[in-house]
Amino acid sequence: MHDGSSDPALPETPLRGNVFAAACPTRQLLDRIADKWTVLILLTLANGSQRFGALKRHIGGISQKMLSQTLKSLERDGLIDRTVEHTAPIAVTYAITPLGRSLTVSLRGVIEWAETRMGDVFDARSAFDARANAEH
Amino acid sequence: MHDGSSDPALPETPLRGNVFAAACPTRQLLDRIADKWTVLILLTLANGSQRFGALKRHIGGISQKMLSQTLKSLERDGLIDRTVEHTAPIAVTYAITPLGRSLTVSLRGVIEWAETRMGDVFDARSAFDARANAEH
DNA sequence: CTGCATCCGCAATGATACTG
DNA sequence: CAGTATCATTGCGGATGCAG
């Protein structure tokens, strides 16, 4: 995979953002979307709009704080929409935006991988641990 | 943790893991692969095997501790292979496994998204912040 | 019902120094 | 060169209480 360039400057860097550069803004973005709660929230909303309480019930183990906090981040980044109905007890509905939906395609692939390859990973872990034990 | 009995809304419970269940092992797995360093390391190795030092140089901002630690996790999970050459100064080479490569397909999509949609996200942030300011 | 503020423990992360 | 070990710090993330 050598590209024929000398290494220090990495001239083959693409013109758009480069996540491998520590200072690149895309790096922050990566850190944000490579987050457990972000992934689960986006994938839930990709299946249809939900209210706050419904989201909390659907995503096992999330605290009210993390949900609220992550939702706000996602709204700020334009990945989800927030709609308030000023009814008697206030009702807030969250919906995914086209931008958010464009991300869920890849995200779903990651989840798909985790759910289907889980067995392979656990087998690998057992083998690794057994090997480590055998060294004593 | 899968009963498939008392939930009328889910006629057919999937046989594989469900990341939305807090106790499901896939949830831990998700938390592990939804990690900044994991993504960057796997994608680097997907382009070819690398030695420890080369990896550290290629992934901006990673500390030797995080690199070493994440590499060990990935090896344990069967996503990468570790090869030691007992030469004068010892040389260790890391390579992606077929299992690991199967994950990088989706991972690359996430990076692709971050690098290309970065502008949209930043625009959304500006708009959001402006709106927030206007409310005072 | 929704969601913000505060307190706080703990785990993750980084800097440094040391070993094979 | 490739790690491990230790220490200091940060910030995640949970619990609780309050407000709109």
Side-chain angles (χ1 to χ4, degrees):
Chain A
M1 74 140 270
H2 201 274
D3 58 354
S5 59
S6 45
D7 52 300
L10 292 176
E12 104 263 13
T13 303
L15 292 163
R16 51 171 203 230
N18 173 19
V19 285
F20 291 101
C24 183
T26 52
R27 174 65 75 82
Q28 311 166 13
L29 194 52
L30 171 63
D31 205 22
R32 190 158 287 256
I33 62 184
D35 171 70
K36 185 176 42 175
W37 301 132
T38 296
V39 173
L40 293 176
I41 290 175
L42 282 180
L43 284 181
T44 300
L45 292 179
N47 281 334
S49 303
Q50 299 256 340
R51 290 185 42 191
F52 188 90
L55 277 169
K56 182 161 189 327
R57 261 172 272 120
H58 186 256
I59 302 175
I62 194 171
S63 68
Q64 180 272 341
K65 177 182 177 178
M66 279 299 103
L67 179 55
S68 174
Q69 191 172 298
T70 309
L71 284 172
K72 187 189 271 183
S73 279
L74 293 176
E75 187 201 359
R76 178 166 182 263
D77 288 351
L79 301 180
I80 64 175
D81 270 334
R82 179 175 179 274
T83 309
V84 184
E85 296 175 57
H86 298 281
T87 53
I90 195 172
V92 182
T93 304
Y94 293 91
I96 199 162
T97 63
L99 182 60
R101 186 171 295 278
S102 70
L103 173 58
T104 60
V105 179
S106 299
L107 255 34
R108 194 170 276 130
V110 174
I111 296 296
E112 185 83 9
W113 185 92
E115 291 183 343
T116 56
R117 300 308 201 105
M118 172 181 58
D120 294 327
V121 170
F122 286 178
D123 288 349
R125 285 186 188 173
S126 303
F128 183 91
D129 294 345
R131 224 175 305 136
N133 271 338
E135 289 174 10
H136 289 282
Chain B
M1 74 141 309
H2 117 116
D3 50 0
S5 53
S6 54
D7 198 335
L10 296 175
E12 153 259 330
T13 304
L15 294 166
R16 55 174 205 224
N18 173 20
V19 284
F20 290 101
C24 184
T26 52
R27 174 66 74 82
Q28 310 166 15
L29 193 52
L30 171 63
D31 205 22
R32 189 157 289 251
I33 62 184
D35 171 71
K36 185 176 40 176
W37 301 133
T38 296
V39 173
L40 293 176
I41 291 175
L42 281 181
L43 284 181
T44 300
L45 292 179
N47 282 334
S49 303
Q50 298 257 346
R51 291 183 42 188
F52 188 91
L55 276 170
K56 183 162 187 330
R57 262 173 271 120
H58 186 254
I59 302 175
I62 194 171
S63 66
Q64 70 288 43
K65 178 180 179 179
M66 279 300 101
L67 179 56
S68 173
Q69 191 171 299
T70 308
L71 284 171
K72 189 188 273 184
S73 279
L74 293 175
E75 186 199 0
R76 177 167 182 261
D77 287 351
L79 301 180
I80 64 175
D81 270 333
R82 179 175 178 274
T83 308
V84 183
E85 295 176 58
H86 299 280
T87 52
I90 196 172
V92 182
T93 303
Y94 292 92
I96 199 161
T97 63
L99 183 61
R101 185 170 295 277
S102 70
L103 174 57
T104 60
V105 180
S106 300
L107 255 35
R108 195 170 277 131
V110 175
I111 295 296
E112 185 83 10
W113 185 92
E115 292 184 343
T116 57
R117 299 308 200 106
M118 172 182 58
D120 295 326
V121 171
F122 285 178
D123 288 349
R125 283 186 190 173
S126 302
F128 183 91
D129 293 346
R131 224 176 305 136
N133 273 338
E135 288 175 12
H136 288 284

Short mmCIF file of all heavy atoms in Angstrom, two decimals, chain A residues 8 18 20 37 39 41 48 69 71 77 80 83 92-93 97 111 128 131 134-135:
data_model
loop_
_atom_site.label_atom_id
_atom_site.label_comp_id
_atom_site.label_asym_id
_atom_site.label_seq_id
_atom_site.Cartn_x
_atom_site.Cartn_y
_atom_site.Cartn_z
N PRO A 8 6.75 12.11 6.01
CA PRO A 8 6.40 13.07 7.06
C PRO A 8 5.24 13.97 6.69
O PRO A 8 4.41 14.30 7.53
CB PRO A 8 7.67 13.91 7.21
CG PRO A 8 8.73 13.20 6.46
CD PRO A 8 8.02 12.41 5.40
N ASN A 18 -9.69 15.44 7.11
CA ASN A 18 -8.95 14.22 7.35
C ASN A 18 -8.99 13.86 8.82
O ASN A 18 -8.38 14.53 9.65
CB ASN A 18 -7.51 14.40 6.88
CG ASN A 18 -6.65 13.23 7.26
OD1 ASN A 18 -7.14 12.14 7.54
ND2 ASN A 18 -5.35 13.44 7.28
N PHE A 20 -7.58 11.72 10.46
CA PHE A 20 -6.33 11.27 11.05
C PHE A 20 -5.49 12.43 11.58
O PHE A 20 -4.54 12.22 12.31
CB PHE A 20 -5.54 10.43 10.05
CG PHE A 20 -6.19 9.12 9.76
CD1 PHE A 20 -6.93 8.92 8.61
CD2 PHE A 20 -6.08 8.08 10.67
CE1 PHE A 20 -7.55 7.70 8.36
CE2 PHE A 20 -6.68 6.85 10.42
CZ PHE A 20 -7.42 6.67 9.26
N TRP A 37 -24.56 6.40 22.79
CA TRP A 37 -25.90 6.97 22.86
C TRP A 37 -26.30 7.63 21.55
O TRP A 37 -27.46 7.53 21.13
CB TRP A 37 -26.02 7.96 24.01
CG TRP A 37 -25.72 7.38 25.36
CD1 TRP A 37 -24.91 7.91 26.31
CD2 TRP A 37 -26.22 6.16 25.93
NE1 TRP A 37 -24.88 7.11 27.42
CE2 TRP A 37 -25.67 6.03 27.21
CE3 TRP A 37 -27.07 5.16 25.46
CZ2 TRP A 37 -25.95 4.94 28.05
CZ3 TRP A 37 -27.35 4.07 26.29
CH2 TRP A 37 -26.79 3.98 27.56
N VAL A 39 -25.42 6.78 18.55
CA VAL A 39 -25.78 5.72 17.61
C VAL A 39 -27.17 5.18 17.91
O VAL A 39 -28.01 5.05 17.01
CB VAL A 39 -24.74 4.58 17.68
CG1 VAL A 39 -25.20 3.40 16.84
CG2 VAL A 39 -23.38 5.06 17.21
N ILE A 41 -29.67 6.52 19.63
CA ILE A 41 -30.74 7.51 19.43
C ILE A 41 -31.03 7.69 17.95
O ILE A 41 -32.20 7.66 17.53
CB ILE A 41 -30.34 8.86 20.07
CG1 ILE A 41 -30.33 8.74 21.60
CG2 ILE A 41 -31.30 9.95 19.63
CD1 ILE A 41 -29.84 9.99 22.30
N GLY A 48 -38.69 6.23 12.98
CA GLY A 48 -39.89 7.02 13.20
C GLY A 48 -39.71 7.99 14.36
O GLY A 48 -38.93 7.73 15.27
N GLN A 69 -29.07 15.50 27.07
CA GLN A 69 -27.81 16.09 26.64
C GLN A 69 -27.47 15.70 25.20
O GLN A 69 -27.09 16.55 24.39
CB GLN A 69 -26.73 15.59 27.60
CG GLN A 69 -25.40 16.25 27.51
CD GLN A 69 -24.52 15.77 28.67
OE1 GLN A 69 -24.84 15.98 29.84
NE2 GLN A 69 -23.43 15.10 28.36
N LEU A 71 -29.52 14.54 22.92
CA LEU A 71 -30.53 15.08 22.01
C LEU A 71 -30.21 16.52 21.63
O LEU A 71 -30.33 16.92 20.48
CB LEU A 71 -31.91 14.99 22.65
CG LEU A 71 -32.57 13.60 22.68
CD1 LEU A 71 -33.83 13.63 23.51
CD2 LEU A 71 -32.86 13.12 21.26
N ASP A 77 -26.38 19.93 15.87
CA ASP A 77 -25.62 19.50 14.70
C ASP A 77 -26.52 19.26 13.49
O ASP A 77 -26.03 18.85 12.43
CB ASP A 77 -24.85 18.21 15.01
CG ASP A 77 -23.67 18.49 15.94
OD1 ASP A 77 -23.37 19.68 16.19
OD2 ASP A 77 -23.04 17.52 16.41
N ILE A 80 -31.14 15.97 14.05
CA ILE A 80 -32.53 15.70 14.43
C ILE A 80 -33.29 17.01 14.58
O ILE A 80 -32.69 18.08 14.77
CB ILE A 80 -32.63 14.90 15.75
CG1 ILE A 80 -32.08 15.71 16.92
CG2 ILE A 80 -31.92 13.57 15.63
CD1 ILE A 80 -32.27 15.04 18.26
N THR A 83 -39.62 19.29 18.06
CA THR A 83 -40.91 19.97 17.91
C THR A 83 -41.64 19.98 19.25
O THR A 83 -41.83 18.92 19.86
CB THR A 83 -41.79 19.26 16.87
OG1 THR A 83 -41.03 19.09 15.67
CG2 THR A 83 -43.03 20.08 16.58
N VAL A 92 -42.93 16.97 23.60
CA VAL A 92 -41.84 17.27 22.68
C VAL A 92 -41.56 16.04 21.82
O VAL A 92 -41.41 14.93 22.35
CB VAL A 92 -40.57 17.65 23.45
CG1 VAL A 92 -39.45 18.01 22.48
CG2 VAL A 92 -40.85 18.81 24.38
N THR A 93 -41.53 16.26 20.52
CA THR A 93 -41.28 15.14 19.60
C THR A 93 -39.97 15.35 18.85
O THR A 93 -39.69 16.45 18.39
CB THR A 93 -42.43 15.02 18.59
OG1 THR A 93 -43.66 14.88 19.29
CG2 THR A 93 -42.21 13.81 17.69
N THR A 97 -33.54 14.23 10.73
CA THR A 97 -33.48 15.09 9.55
C THR A 97 -32.86 14.30 8.39
O THR A 97 -32.29 13.23 8.61
CB THR A 97 -32.60 16.33 9.82
OG1 THR A 97 -31.27 15.87 10.09
CG2 THR A 97 -33.12 17.11 11.01
N ILE A 111 -24.12 -1.53 13.66
CA ILE A 111 -24.98 -2.29 14.56
C ILE A 111 -25.19 -3.71 14.03
O ILE A 111 -25.10 -4.70 14.77
CB ILE A 111 -26.35 -1.61 14.71
CG1 ILE A 111 -26.19 -0.24 15.34
CG2 ILE A 111 -27.29 -2.47 15.54
CD1 ILE A 111 -25.67 -0.31 16.74
N PHE A 128 -8.20 -16.13 23.11
CA PHE A 128 -7.13 -15.24 23.56
C PHE A 128 -6.86 -15.42 25.04
O PHE A 128 -5.71 -15.56 25.47
CB PHE A 128 -7.52 -13.79 23.28
CG PHE A 128 -6.47 -12.79 23.64
CD1 PHE A 128 -5.51 -12.40 22.71
CD2 PHE A 128 -6.43 -12.24 24.91
CE1 PHE A 128 -4.53 -11.47 23.05
CE2 PHE A 128 -5.44 -11.31 25.25
CZ PHE A 128 -4.50 -10.93 24.32
N ARG A 131 -5.17 -18.71 25.77
CA ARG A 131 -3.77 -18.64 25.39
C ARG A 131 -2.97 -17.89 26.46
O ARG A 131 -1.88 -18.28 26.83
CB ARG A 131 -3.65 -17.90 24.04
CG ARG A 131 -2.70 -18.55 23.07
CD ARG A 131 -2.76 -17.82 21.74
NE ARG A 131 -4.11 -17.74 21.20
CZ ARG A 131 -4.65 -16.65 20.67
NH1 ARG A 131 -3.97 -15.53 20.64
NH2 ARG A 131 -5.87 -16.67 20.17
N ALA A 134 -2.47 -20.09 29.46
CA ALA A 134 -1.54 -21.18 29.21
C ALA A 134 -0.09 -20.75 29.39
O ALA A 134 0.80 -21.58 29.55
CB ALA A 134 -1.75 -21.73 27.80
N GLU A 135 0.14 -19.47 29.38
CA GLU A 135 1.51 -18.98 29.50
C GLU A 135 1.96 -18.89 30.95
O GLU A 135 2.86 -18.11 31.26
CB GLU A 135 1.64 -17.61 28.82
CG GLU A 135 1.57 -17.69 27.31
CD GLU A 135 1.56 -16.31 26.67
OE1 GLU A 135 1.81 -15.35 27.40
OE2 GLU A 135 1.30 -16.22 25.46
#
